[in-house]
Structures are given as structure tokens and as C-alpha cells.
Amino acid sequence: MKAVDLIQQISKVPTFKKYGRVSRVVGLMIESQGPESSVGDVCKIHINSPKTGASVILAEVVGFKEEVVVLMPYTNIREISTGCLVEGTNSPLEIKVGPELIGRVLDSMGNPIDGSVLPKGLMTVGTEKDSPNPLTRPPIEEQIEVGVKAIDGMLTVGKGQRVGIFAGSGVGKSTLLGMIARNTNADLNVIALIGERGREVREFIERDLGKEGLEKSIVVAATSDQPALMRIKGAFTATAIAEYFRDKGLNVMLMMDSVTRVAMAQREVGLAVGEPPATRGYTPSVFSILPKLLERTGTNENGTITAFYTVLVDGDDMNEPIADTVRGILDGHIVLDRSLANKGQYPAINVLKSISRLMNHISDENHVKAAERLRDLYFTYNKSEDLINIGAYKRGTSREIDEAIQYEPLITSFLKQGYLDKVSLDSSVDELVKLSGGVS
Ligand SMILES: Nc1ncnc2c1ncn2[C@@H]1O[C@H](COP(=O)(O)OP(=O)(O)O)[C@@H](O)[C@H]1O
Ligand SMILES: [Mg+2]
């Protein structure tokens, strides 16, 4: 080899120090001297155990303490000790994607957990990406069918719209997401189940999603027993998979259950690396990660990602910091109400507390007017419900209330839907417009 070539070869060799050594392990935090790296980089920790032999665990750089690299593992660790070799990869987490993933259940690193193996020829993509440029993002113009009457009729969602579903536990989030996944006319669903118990994941896949739903979905599951970092990555991996299909020109439906658990996982990481707790114990990084994650969906020049993000709200506290932040970022919110669920009104969507910010823009005038009229009638009924129920309201006192009383059972029955019933967007709108036309 010529000297010039040799020099060229040498100049191509990466100059960063690729290796370091574990110096301290505190709980889930691993400190290491080297390698040179940036926050977010993946490192391989080589473990040489006398019992189980050599193995490699993946960890991510989450911070620095002076000269020391602070890492958190993606998996639960047992055998790690000081002196273990830490190999830098100089790159954030990457996953493999392709159409072959459809119908599969994956972990946060994109590996199947349903016993299948990944085929060859998939594309490698990073899980951390910037959101589309706001100036080149096409506006949302078209409706998407979710196949749930209360939403398609009263809270119409557009292709590329991002909506929060706010609810306490056991009010019907998973059931509703399953309905949407089965009924929507989106090209495919990407469903992130974050921080659920293992049993809930199985129930969702078998009962709520069913075979029919799974056939057009990719599920990413990070259960509550997994390290915080894995729960965060699950959200990013699912988003990256949805982005891959959006870039192929498809209309993707992303569902994340729940974004509150992602925030809680980030809080765990934040507190562990020494961030100060701010609002309700949430650290500043929680509030910077949420917009970064939620802004990645929506439209881009190629396709759309319509997204539903569930937010846990305890006792109807919509002003809790995560709920508040998420609501501010998204283009609409759907509130599930325990009092409706208790009455057996499913899906327990409170249409008076919910809003789709794009409905008026993407729906035709008749539809919007009909929805507004029914909402007004329903509002009037709800305002006077206590009086009506105790018999303190006398018919004939107010024409408005009389009309609302007449309409209430019809509106309620419009909003109710059996979880196996699929109703098309067009027939929901037809029924709504007819209903607003008069009680016969
Ligand atoms: N559309 C529905 N029809 C009938 N029952 C429902 C419906 N949605 C929810 N439920 C009832 O509520 C329970 C909890 O629903 P689930 O979707 O698991 O709630 P969450 O995910 O909010 O914890 C279900 O087991 C079921 O009994
Ligand atoms: Mg659930």
C-alpha cells in the first residue's frame, strides 16, 4: 500500500476513545470512566461472569458527572461489576423496520416478543428524530374514519391530527383504542403500550385488538416491570416505526397508551441523574421530552400520522401538569368520564368536555351545524339534569329545556356503541344530521 493511501486510511479511523471501564454501580445507574460519547449514545457493556459466562448488555448515556459517563441499562442488570468493559457505539438507539413488522408484537428495541424472528432486509432507522419542519408540513384537510360514532360524528378527527384521550383507570381507554384500531380506515396502526402490566398487554392484544385488529397493526410493548429507559424508548420506537410508514406515503394511526407513563419513566431517569424535581416531582426534562415526542407525529410531505395519546387523569384533575402540557401540544382532546361508565354509557366519551380543534375545518357545514345543535341541546339537558331528576322542573317552563328533555334519550343512544359494532363515518354523519333535523 502506498504511503498516501495509508495516511488516508488512518485519517478515516474514528478518533474517539471507543472503550471505558465501569467504575461504580448505584442502583440502576452505571458510572464509567470513558468512552468518549454524547448523551443518548448506546454503549455495550461486556460482562464476564464466572457463573454465566460472557454477555453484553446495552446501556444508554444519560448524563455526565464531571469526567464520569453516567449510563442506564436497557435491561435489568444482575452481574455487572466494576472494571467491566464499556464499548461506545457513538450512535443513538437504532431499530429495524419494514412492512414485515405488520401483525407483530415488539419490544422497545424492535425485537419481536411473540416468538417470531425478524426477517432479513429490513431498514435500519434511528429512534430519535426531529419533528417535520413546521413550514413544510401540509395542513390537515381530510377526515379520517375511526369507526366510533361519538368521535366521527361529534369530534371528527382529520388525517394527521393529534388527539389526547384523558381518562382515569378502568374507564375504557383500552377498549376504545381497540375499537379504533379495528374500525379505522387508516392504512395501518402502530400501537405503543407503555407501562402497562404484562396481563394488560395480553388482554389488549387478545381481547381489545383481536386477530382482526392485529393483522393491520404493529404493537410495541414496554411493561411496567421494565427499566425506565425501556419504557421511554418504547414511545420513541413506536413513533419511529410510524414515521417510516408515513414516509412511504401511508396514512398511519399511532396510539400511545399511556403518555403519562412515558412522563413518569422520564421522571425516574431525571431524578436518578440528579435533575431537580419541579412541578409535582416531575423534572424539567419531562417537559422537554413531551413536545419532542408529540410533535413528531402529524403530517409531512409524504403521508400522515394521526395520533391518539392517552393521558391518565386521577379524579378528573385535568390541570395535573402532564395533562396540562399534553393538552397544550395536541389538536384536540377526548375526555372519558367515570360517571358515564358507571351508568353503562360506553364508550364513556363526555362530548361536552371534549373538543376536536379541526372539526369545523375538515367537516362540511351541515355536519358541523348538526353537531353544534345536538351539543347545545345536550348541554342544556345536562345543566338542568338535577332539577329534572328531582322533579323540580315543570314542563312548559322553558321551551329550550323541554326540547332538550325530548332529545336527550336520542342523543345518548347515538353516543352509545357496542364495542364490536363498526359504524362508518358516513353513516354516523347521516344519523347525526337526521337526528338534529327533528324528533318525530
Ligand atoms: N365499549 C364498552 N362496552 C362495554 N363495556 C366496556 C366498554 N369499554 C369499557 N368497558 C368496561 O370497562 C372495563 C375497563 O375497560 P378498559 O378499556 O380496560 O379500561 P382502561 O383501559 O381505561 O383501564 C372493561 O373490562 C369493560 O368491562
Ligand atoms: Mg387499559
Side-chain angles (χ1 to χ4, degrees), residues 167-177 179 196 200 203 207-208 257 312 336 341 344-348 417-420:
S169 64
V171 189
K173 291 181 300 300
S174 302
T175 314
L176 180 62
L177 293 183
M179 276 173 92
E196 303 258 278
E200 289 173 306
E203 260 174 29
R207 186 192 65 190
D208 301 325
D257 188 17
L312 298 169
L336 302 188
Q345 182 177 328
Y346 284 112
Q417 185 171 340
Y419 80 98
L420 287 174

PDB file of all heavy atoms in Angstrom, residues 167-177 179 196 200 203 207-208 257 312 336 341 344-348 417-420, ligand 1:
ATOM      1  N   ALA A 167     -58.404  10.133  30.719  1.00  0.00           N
ATOM      2  CA  ALA A 167     -59.294   9.249  31.469  1.00  0.00           C
ATOM      3  C   ALA A 167     -58.601   8.674  32.685  1.00  0.00           C
ATOM      4  O   ALA A 167     -57.372   8.553  32.719  1.00  0.00           O
ATOM      5  CB  ALA A 167     -59.760   8.105  30.575  1.00  0.00           C
ATOM      6  N   GLY A 168     -59.397   8.325  33.670  1.00  0.00           N
ATOM      7  CA  GLY A 168     -58.877   7.595  34.824  1.00  0.00           C
ATOM      8  C   GLY A 168     -58.718   6.132  34.435  1.00  0.00           C
ATOM      9  O   GLY A 168     -58.992   5.756  33.297  1.00  0.00           O
ATOM     10  N   SER A 169     -58.297   5.299  35.399  1.00  0.00           N
ATOM     11  CA  SER A 169     -58.108   3.898  35.027  1.00  0.00           C
ATOM     12  C   SER A 169     -59.443   3.167  35.060  1.00  0.00           C
ATOM     13  O   SER A 169     -60.330   3.495  35.842  1.00  0.00           O
ATOM     14  CB  SER A 169     -57.105   3.235  35.968  1.00  0.00           C
ATOM     15  OG  SER A 169     -57.642   3.241  37.250  1.00  0.00           O
ATOM     16  N   GLY A 170     -59.577   2.206  34.163  1.00  0.00           N
ATOM     17  CA  GLY A 170     -60.787   1.391  34.126  1.00  0.00           C
ATOM     18  C   GLY A 170     -62.007   2.080  33.553  1.00  0.00           C
ATOM     19  O   GLY A 170     -63.126   1.649  33.766  1.00  0.00           O
ATOM     20  N   VAL A 171     -61.803   3.171  32.813  1.00  0.00           N
ATOM     21  CA  VAL A 171     -62.953   3.891  32.254  1.00  0.00           C
ATOM     22  C   VAL A 171     -63.191   3.502  30.780  1.00  0.00           C
ATOM     23  O   VAL A 171     -64.170   3.903  30.180  1.00  0.00           O
ATOM     24  CB  VAL A 171     -62.779   5.421  32.420  1.00  0.00           C
ATOM     25  CG1 VAL A 171     -64.051   6.169  32.059  1.00  0.00           C
ATOM     26  CG2 VAL A 171     -62.396   5.760  33.844  1.00  0.00           C
ATOM     27  N   GLY A 172     -62.264   2.740  30.233  1.00  0.00           N
ATOM     28  CA  GLY A 172     -62.499   2.225  28.884  1.00  0.00           C
ATOM     29  C   GLY A 172     -61.528   2.696  27.815  1.00  0.00           C
ATOM     30  O   GLY A 172     -61.846   2.653  26.630  1.00  0.00           O
ATOM     31  N   LYS A 173     -60.316   3.098  28.223  1.00  0.00           N
ATOM     32  CA  LYS A 173     -59.328   3.550  27.231  1.00  0.00           C
ATOM     33  C   LYS A 173     -58.929   2.427  26.288  1.00  0.00           C
ATOM     34  O   LYS A 173     -58.952   2.588  25.074  1.00  0.00           O
ATOM     35  CB  LYS A 173     -58.048   4.060  27.920  1.00  0.00           C
ATOM     36  CG  LYS A 173     -58.204   5.326  28.673  1.00  0.00           C
ATOM     37  CD  LYS A 173     -56.887   5.756  29.280  1.00  0.00           C
ATOM     38  CE  LYS A 173     -56.282   4.756  30.248  1.00  0.00           C
ATOM     39  NZ  LYS A 173     -57.056   4.396  31.420  1.00  0.00           N
ATOM     40  N   SER A 174     -58.535   1.296  26.878  1.00  0.00           N
ATOM     41  CA  SER A 174     -58.031   0.204  26.037  1.00  0.00           C
ATOM     42  C   SER A 174     -59.117  -0.296  25.100  1.00  0.00           C
ATOM     43  O   SER A 174     -58.851  -0.585  23.929  1.00  0.00           O
ATOM     44  CB  SER A 174     -57.535  -0.954  26.904  1.00  0.00           C
ATOM     45  OG  SER A 174     -56.532  -0.491  27.772  1.00  0.00           O
ATOM     46  N   THR A 175     -60.343  -0.393  25.621  1.00  0.00           N
ATOM     47  CA  THR A 175     -61.450  -0.856  24.781  1.00  0.00           C
ATOM     48  C   THR A 175     -61.661   0.102  23.615  1.00  0.00           C
ATOM     49  O   THR A 175     -61.837  -0.316  22.470  1.00  0.00           O
ATOM     50  CB  THR A 175     -62.739  -0.950  25.627  1.00  0.00           C
ATOM     51  OG1 THR A 175     -62.421  -1.608  26.847  1.00  0.00           O
ATOM     52  CG2 THR A 175     -63.819  -1.717  24.898  1.00  0.00           C
ATOM     53  N   LEU A 176     -61.611   1.399  23.894  1.00  0.00           N
ATOM     54  CA  LEU A 176     -61.802   2.403  22.847  1.00  0.00           C
ATOM     55  C   LEU A 176     -60.677   2.344  21.815  1.00  0.00           C
ATOM     56  O   LEU A 176     -60.926   2.381  20.603  1.00  0.00           O
ATOM     57  CB  LEU A 176     -61.893   3.798  23.484  1.00  0.00           C
ATOM     58  CG  LEU A 176     -62.098   4.963  22.522  1.00  0.00           C
ATOM     59  CD1 LEU A 176     -63.411   4.828  21.760  1.00  0.00           C
ATOM     60  CD2 LEU A 176     -62.069   6.307  23.257  1.00  0.00           C
ATOM     61  N   LEU A 177     -59.438   2.206  22.280  1.00  0.00           N
ATOM     62  CA  LEU A 177     -58.316   2.129  21.333  1.00  0.00           C
ATOM     63  C   LEU A 177     -58.450   0.896  20.450  1.00  0.00           C
ATOM     64  O   LEU A 177     -58.178   0.942  19.243  1.00  0.00           O
ATOM     65  CB  LEU A 177     -56.974   2.104  22.078  1.00  0.00           C
ATOM     66  CG  LEU A 177     -56.583   3.381  22.832  1.00  0.00           C
ATOM     67  CD1 LEU A 177     -55.203   3.227  23.450  1.00  0.00           C
ATOM     68  CD2 LEU A 177     -56.596   4.600  21.914  1.00  0.00           C
ATOM     69  N   MET A 179     -61.245  -0.536  19.566  1.00  0.00           N
ATOM     70  CA  MET A 179     -62.307  -0.250  18.586  1.00  0.00           C
ATOM     71  C   MET A 179     -61.764   0.572  17.431  1.00  0.00           C
ATOM     72  O   MET A 179     -62.009   0.290  16.258  1.00  0.00           O
ATOM     73  CB  MET A 179     -63.429   0.573  19.256  1.00  0.00           C
ATOM     74  CG  MET A 179     -64.449  -0.232  20.013  1.00  0.00           C
ATOM     75  SD  MET A 179     -65.585   0.878  20.905  1.00  0.00           S
ATOM     76  CE  MET A 179     -66.899   1.071  19.697  1.00  0.00           C
ATOM     77  N   GLU A 196     -47.824  -0.642  31.082  1.00  0.00           N
ATOM     78  CA  GLU A 196     -48.942  -1.489  31.498  1.00  0.00           C
ATOM     79  C   GLU A 196     -48.374  -2.738  32.170  1.00  0.00           C
ATOM     80  O   GLU A 196     -47.227  -3.103  31.948  1.00  0.00           O
ATOM     81  CB  GLU A 196     -49.730  -1.952  30.279  1.00  0.00           C
ATOM     82  CG  GLU A 196     -50.251  -0.846  29.411  1.00  0.00           C
ATOM     83  CD  GLU A 196     -51.725  -0.591  29.655  1.00  0.00           C
ATOM     84  OE1 GLU A 196     -52.546  -1.309  29.088  1.00  0.00           O
ATOM     85  OE2 GLU A 196     -52.027   0.317  30.453  1.00  0.00           O
ATOM     86  N   GLU A 200     -52.220  -6.877  31.273  1.00  0.00           N
ATOM     87  CA  GLU A 200     -52.996  -5.907  30.486  1.00  0.00           C
ATOM     88  C   GLU A 200     -52.585  -5.924  29.013  1.00  0.00           C
ATOM     89  O   GLU A 200     -53.418  -5.742  28.137  1.00  0.00           O
ATOM     90  CB  GLU A 200     -52.801  -4.500  31.049  1.00  0.00           C
ATOM     91  CG  GLU A 200     -53.473  -4.281  32.377  1.00  0.00           C
ATOM     92  CD  GLU A 200     -53.114  -2.930  32.969  1.00  0.00           C
ATOM     93  OE1 GLU A 200     -51.904  -2.638  33.099  1.00  0.00           O
ATOM     94  OE2 GLU A 200     -54.024  -2.181  33.315  1.00  0.00           O
ATOM     95  N   GLU A 203     -54.227  -8.920  27.494  1.00  0.00           N
ATOM     96  CA  GLU A 203     -55.670  -8.666  27.365  1.00  0.00           C
ATOM     97  C   GLU A 203     -55.958  -7.735  26.200  1.00  0.00           C
ATOM     98  O   GLU A 203     -56.894  -7.943  25.440  1.00  0.00           O
ATOM     99  CB  GLU A 203     -56.193  -8.001  28.643  1.00  0.00           C
ATOM    100  CG  GLU A 203     -56.883  -8.941  29.576  1.00  0.00           C
ATOM    101  CD  GLU A 203     -57.232  -8.243  30.880  1.00  0.00           C
ATOM    102  OE1 GLU A 203     -57.458  -7.001  30.888  1.00  0.00           O
ATOM    103  OE2 GLU A 203     -57.265  -8.947  31.888  1.00  0.00           O
ATOM    104  N   ARG A 207     -58.077  -9.441  23.499  1.00  0.00           N
ATOM    105  CA  ARG A 207     -59.488  -9.105  23.628  1.00  0.00           C
ATOM    106  C   ARG A 207     -59.839  -7.814  22.878  1.00  0.00           C
ATOM    107  O   ARG A 207     -60.726  -7.779  22.033  1.00  0.00           O
ATOM    108  CB  ARG A 207     -59.823  -8.961  25.122  1.00  0.00           C
ATOM    109  CG  ARG A 207     -61.295  -8.756  25.416  1.00  0.00           C
ATOM    110  CD  ARG A 207     -61.488  -8.327  26.863  1.00  0.00           C
ATOM    111  NE  ARG A 207     -60.883  -7.010  27.093  1.00  0.00           N
ATOM    112  CZ  ARG A 207     -60.727  -6.456  28.285  1.00  0.00           C
ATOM    113  NH1 ARG A 207     -61.086  -7.109  29.365  1.00  0.00           N
ATOM    114  NH2 ARG A 207     -60.193  -5.258  28.408  1.00  0.00           N
ATOM    115  N   ASP A 208     -59.112  -6.730  23.179  1.00  0.00           N
ATOM    116  CA  ASP A 208     -59.493  -5.430  22.613  1.00  0.00           C
ATOM    117  C   ASP A 208     -59.119  -5.307  21.136  1.00  0.00           C
ATOM    118  O   ASP A 208     -59.892  -4.833  20.321  1.00  0.00           O
ATOM    119  CB  ASP A 208     -58.852  -4.289  23.407  1.00  0.00           C
ATOM    120  CG  ASP A 208     -59.261  -4.333  24.870  1.00  0.00           C
ATOM    121  OD1 ASP A 208     -60.413  -4.721  25.140  1.00  0.00           O
ATOM    122  OD2 ASP A 208     -58.440  -3.994  25.731  1.00  0.00           O
ATOM    123  N   ASP A 257     -50.506   4.371  24.712  1.00  0.00           N
ATOM    124  CA  ASP A 257     -51.209   4.168  25.979  1.00  0.00           C
ATOM    125  C   ASP A 257     -50.190   3.753  27.023  1.00  0.00           C
ATOM    126  O   ASP A 257     -49.739   2.620  27.012  1.00  0.00           O
ATOM    127  CB  ASP A 257     -52.273   3.072  25.773  1.00  0.00           C
ATOM    128  CG  ASP A 257     -53.199   2.919  26.960  1.00  0.00           C
ATOM    129  OD1 ASP A 257     -53.240   3.832  27.795  1.00  0.00           O
ATOM    130  OD2 ASP A 257     -53.872   1.868  27.051  1.00  0.00           O
ATOM    131  N   LEU A 312     -53.453   9.722  31.764  1.00  0.00           N
ATOM    132  CA  LEU A 312     -54.173   9.298  32.964  1.00  0.00           C
ATOM    133  C   LEU A 312     -54.515  10.518  33.789  1.00  0.00           C
ATOM    134  O   LEU A 312     -53.637  11.325  34.105  1.00  0.00           O
ATOM    135  CB  LEU A 312     -53.281   8.362  33.796  1.00  0.00           C
ATOM    136  CG  LEU A 312     -52.873   7.067  33.092  1.00  0.00           C
ATOM    137  CD1 LEU A 312     -51.782   6.361  33.877  1.00  0.00           C
ATOM    138  CD2 LEU A 312     -54.079   6.168  32.935  1.00  0.00           C
ATOM    139  N   LEU A 336     -62.862  10.884  28.782  1.00  0.00           N
ATOM    140  CA  LEU A 336     -63.709   9.760  29.188  1.00  0.00           C
ATOM    141  C   LEU A 336     -64.112   9.992  30.637  1.00  0.00           C
ATOM    142  O   LEU A 336     -63.272  10.294  31.473  1.00  0.00           O
ATOM    143  CB  LEU A 336     -62.969   8.424  29.066  1.00  0.00           C
ATOM    144  CG  LEU A 336     -62.406   8.042  27.699  1.00  0.00           C
ATOM    145  CD1 LEU A 336     -61.881   6.612  27.736  1.00  0.00           C
ATOM    146  CD2 LEU A 336     -63.450   8.185  26.612  1.00  0.00           C
ATOM    147  N   ALA A 341     -69.404   5.918  32.487  1.00  0.00           N
ATOM    148  CA  ALA A 341     -69.102   4.477  32.528  1.00  0.00           C
ATOM    149  C   ALA A 341     -69.957   3.811  33.612  1.00  0.00           C
ATOM    150  O   ALA A 341     -70.508   2.726  33.399  1.00  0.00           O
ATOM    151  CB  ALA A 341     -67.623   4.253  32.801  1.00  0.00           C
ATOM    152  N   GLY A 344     -73.171   2.913  32.554  1.00  0.00           N
ATOM    153  CA  GLY A 344     -73.194   1.929  31.469  1.00  0.00           C
ATOM    154  C   GLY A 344     -73.195   2.567  30.093  1.00  0.00           C
ATOM    155  O   GLY A 344     -73.476   1.914  29.098  1.00  0.00           O
ATOM    156  N   GLN A 345     -72.887   3.887  30.046  1.00  0.00           N
ATOM    157  CA  GLN A 345     -72.810   4.528  28.726  1.00  0.00           C
ATOM    158  C   GLN A 345     -71.399   4.386  28.162  1.00  0.00           C
ATOM    159  O   GLN A 345     -70.480   5.101  28.559  1.00  0.00           O
ATOM    160  CB  GLN A 345     -73.200   6.010  28.817  1.00  0.00           C
ATOM    161  CG  GLN A 345     -73.169   6.665  27.432  1.00  0.00           C
ATOM    162  CD  GLN A 345     -73.619   8.103  27.444  1.00  0.00           C
ATOM    163  OE1 GLN A 345     -74.465   8.488  28.248  1.00  0.00           O
ATOM    164  NE2 GLN A 345     -73.045   8.899  26.560  1.00  0.00           N
ATOM    165  N   TYR A 346     -71.234   3.442  27.248  1.00  0.00           N
ATOM    166  CA  TYR A 346     -69.933   3.187  26.614  1.00  0.00           C
ATOM    167  C   TYR A 346     -70.031   3.447  25.114  1.00  0.00           C
ATOM    168  O   TYR A 346     -71.065   3.152  24.535  1.00  0.00           O
ATOM    169  CB  TYR A 346     -69.513   1.735  26.833  1.00  0.00           C
ATOM    170  CG  TYR A 346     -69.017   1.441  28.219  1.00  0.00           C
ATOM    171  CD1 TYR A 346     -69.744   0.623  29.072  1.00  0.00           C
ATOM    172  CD2 TYR A 346     -67.820   1.968  28.664  1.00  0.00           C
ATOM    173  CE1 TYR A 346     -69.283   0.342  30.342  1.00  0.00           C
ATOM    174  CE2 TYR A 346     -67.348   1.688  29.938  1.00  0.00           C
ATOM    175  CZ  TYR A 346     -68.080   0.873  30.770  1.00  0.00           C
ATOM    176  OH  TYR A 346     -67.615   0.596  32.017  1.00  0.00           O
ATOM    177  N   PRO A 347     -68.955   3.945  24.494  1.00  0.00           N
ATOM    178  CA  PRO A 347     -67.740   4.480  25.095  1.00  0.00           C
ATOM    179  C   PRO A 347     -68.072   5.705  25.949  1.00  0.00           C
ATOM    180  O   PRO A 347     -68.919   6.494  25.541  1.00  0.00           O
ATOM    181  CB  PRO A 347     -66.867   4.849  23.898  1.00  0.00           C
ATOM    182  CG  PRO A 347     -67.785   4.926  22.728  1.00  0.00           C
ATOM    183  CD  PRO A 347     -68.945   4.046  23.018  1.00  0.00           C
ATOM    184  N   ALA A 348     -67.382   5.834  27.108  1.00  0.00           N
ATOM    185  CA  ALA A 348     -67.771   6.842  28.086  1.00  0.00           C
ATOM    186  C   ALA A 348     -67.240   8.232  27.727  1.00  0.00           C
ATOM    187  O   ALA A 348     -66.660   8.941  28.549  1.00  0.00           O
ATOM    188  CB  ALA A 348     -67.272   6.406  29.465  1.00  0.00           C
ATOM    189  N   GLN A 417     -72.284   2.871  21.790  1.00  0.00           N
ATOM    190  CA  GLN A 417     -71.901   1.946  20.719  1.00  0.00           C
ATOM    191  C   GLN A 417     -71.306   0.688  21.335  1.00  0.00           C
ATOM    192  O   GLN A 417     -70.396   0.772  22.162  1.00  0.00           O
ATOM    193  CB  GLN A 417     -70.876   2.633  19.806  1.00  0.00           C
ATOM    194  CG  GLN A 417     -70.485   1.839  18.588  1.00  0.00           C
ATOM    195  CD  GLN A 417     -69.639   2.677  17.635  1.00  0.00           C
ATOM    196  OE1 GLN A 417     -69.640   3.911  17.673  1.00  0.00           O
ATOM    197  NE2 GLN A 417     -68.893   2.001  16.765  1.00  0.00           N
ATOM    198  N   GLY A 418     -71.822  -0.443  20.958  1.00  0.00           N
ATOM    199  CA  GLY A 418     -71.277  -1.715  21.427  1.00  0.00           C
ATOM    200  C   GLY A 418     -69.847  -1.844  20.922  1.00  0.00           C
ATOM    201  O   GLY A 418     -69.538  -1.394  19.820  1.00  0.00           O
ATOM    202  N   TYR A 419     -68.973  -2.463  21.699  1.00  0.00           N
ATOM    203  CA  TYR A 419     -67.569  -2.395  21.298  1.00  0.00           C
ATOM    204  C   TYR A 419     -67.250  -3.253  20.078  1.00  0.00           C
ATOM    205  O   TYR A 419     -66.196  -3.118  19.481  1.00  0.00           O
ATOM    206  CB  TYR A 419     -66.633  -2.631  22.489  1.00  0.00           C
ATOM    207  CG  TYR A 419     -66.436  -4.055  22.889  1.00  0.00           C
ATOM    208  CD1 TYR A 419     -65.310  -4.761  22.466  1.00  0.00           C
ATOM    209  CD2 TYR A 419     -67.355  -4.694  23.702  1.00  0.00           C
ATOM    210  CE1 TYR A 419     -65.124  -6.070  22.844  1.00  0.00           C
ATOM    211  CE2 TYR A 419     -67.183  -6.004  24.079  1.00  0.00           C
ATOM    212  CZ  TYR A 419     -66.068  -6.688  23.649  1.00  0.00           C
ATOM    213  OH  TYR A 419     -65.877  -7.988  24.003  1.00  0.00           O
ATOM    214  N   LEU A 420     -68.176  -4.093  19.670  1.00  0.00           N
ATOM    215  CA  LEU A 420     -67.934  -4.854  18.442  1.00  0.00           C
ATOM    216  C   LEU A 420     -68.621  -4.237  17.223  1.00  0.00           C
ATOM    217  O   LEU A 420     -68.452  -4.702  16.107  1.00  0.00           O
ATOM    218  CB  LEU A 420     -68.406  -6.303  18.619  1.00  0.00           C
ATOM    219  CG  LEU A 420     -67.517  -7.152  19.520  1.00  0.00           C
ATOM    220  CD1 LEU A 420     -68.137  -8.519  19.746  1.00  0.00           C
ATOM    221  CD2 LEU A 420     -66.102  -7.292  18.926  1.00  0.00           C
TER     222      LEU A 420
HETATM  223  N1  LIG B   1     -67.364  -0.091  24.980  1.00  0.00           N
HETATM  224  C1  LIG B   1     -67.557  -0.800  26.103  1.00  0.00           C
HETATM  225  N2  LIG B   1     -68.636  -1.587  26.230  1.00  0.00           N
HETATM  226  C2  LIG B   1     -68.842  -2.306  27.355  1.00  0.00           C
HETATM  227  N3  LIG B   1     -68.022  -2.308  28.398  1.00  0.00           N
HETATM  228  C3  LIG B   1     -66.917  -1.575  28.343  1.00  0.00           C
HETATM  229  C4  LIG B   1     -66.623  -0.769  27.188  1.00  0.00           C
HETATM  230  N4  LIG B   1     -65.464  -0.124  27.414  1.00  0.00           N
HETATM  231  C5  LIG B   1     -65.067  -0.500  28.646  1.00  0.00           C
HETATM  232  N5  LIG B   1     -65.914  -1.363  29.211  1.00  0.00           N
HETATM  233  C6  LIG B   1     -65.795  -1.976  30.552  1.00  0.00           C
HETATM  234  O1  LIG B   1     -64.818  -1.275  31.316  1.00  0.00           O
HETATM  235  C7  LIG B   1     -63.764  -2.146  31.705  1.00  0.00           C
HETATM  236  C8  LIG B   1     -62.438  -1.421  31.660  1.00  0.00           C
HETATM  237  O2  LIG B   1     -62.163  -1.013  30.337  1.00  0.00           O
HETATM  238  P1  LIG B   1     -60.672  -0.790  29.812  1.00  0.00           P
HETATM  239  O3  LIG B   1     -60.801  -0.445  28.377  1.00  0.00           O
HETATM  240  O4  LIG B   1     -59.795  -1.941  30.144  1.00  0.00           O
HETATM  241  O5  LIG B   1     -60.260   0.479  30.668  1.00  0.00           O
HETATM  242  P2  LIG B   1     -58.858   1.234  30.809  1.00  0.00           P
HETATM  243  O6  LIG B   1     -58.008   0.827  29.668  1.00  0.00           O
HETATM  244  O7  LIG B   1     -59.233   2.686  30.774  1.00  0.00           O
HETATM  245  O8  LIG B   1     -58.302   0.848  32.133  1.00  0.00           O
HETATM  246  C9  LIG B   1     -63.847  -3.306  30.731  1.00  0.00           C
HETATM  247  O9  LIG B   1     -63.352  -4.502  31.275  1.00  0.00           O
HETATM  248  C10 LIG B   1     -65.331  -3.399  30.452  1.00  0.00           C
HETATM  249  O10 LIG B   1     -65.966  -4.117  31.482  1.00  0.00           O
END
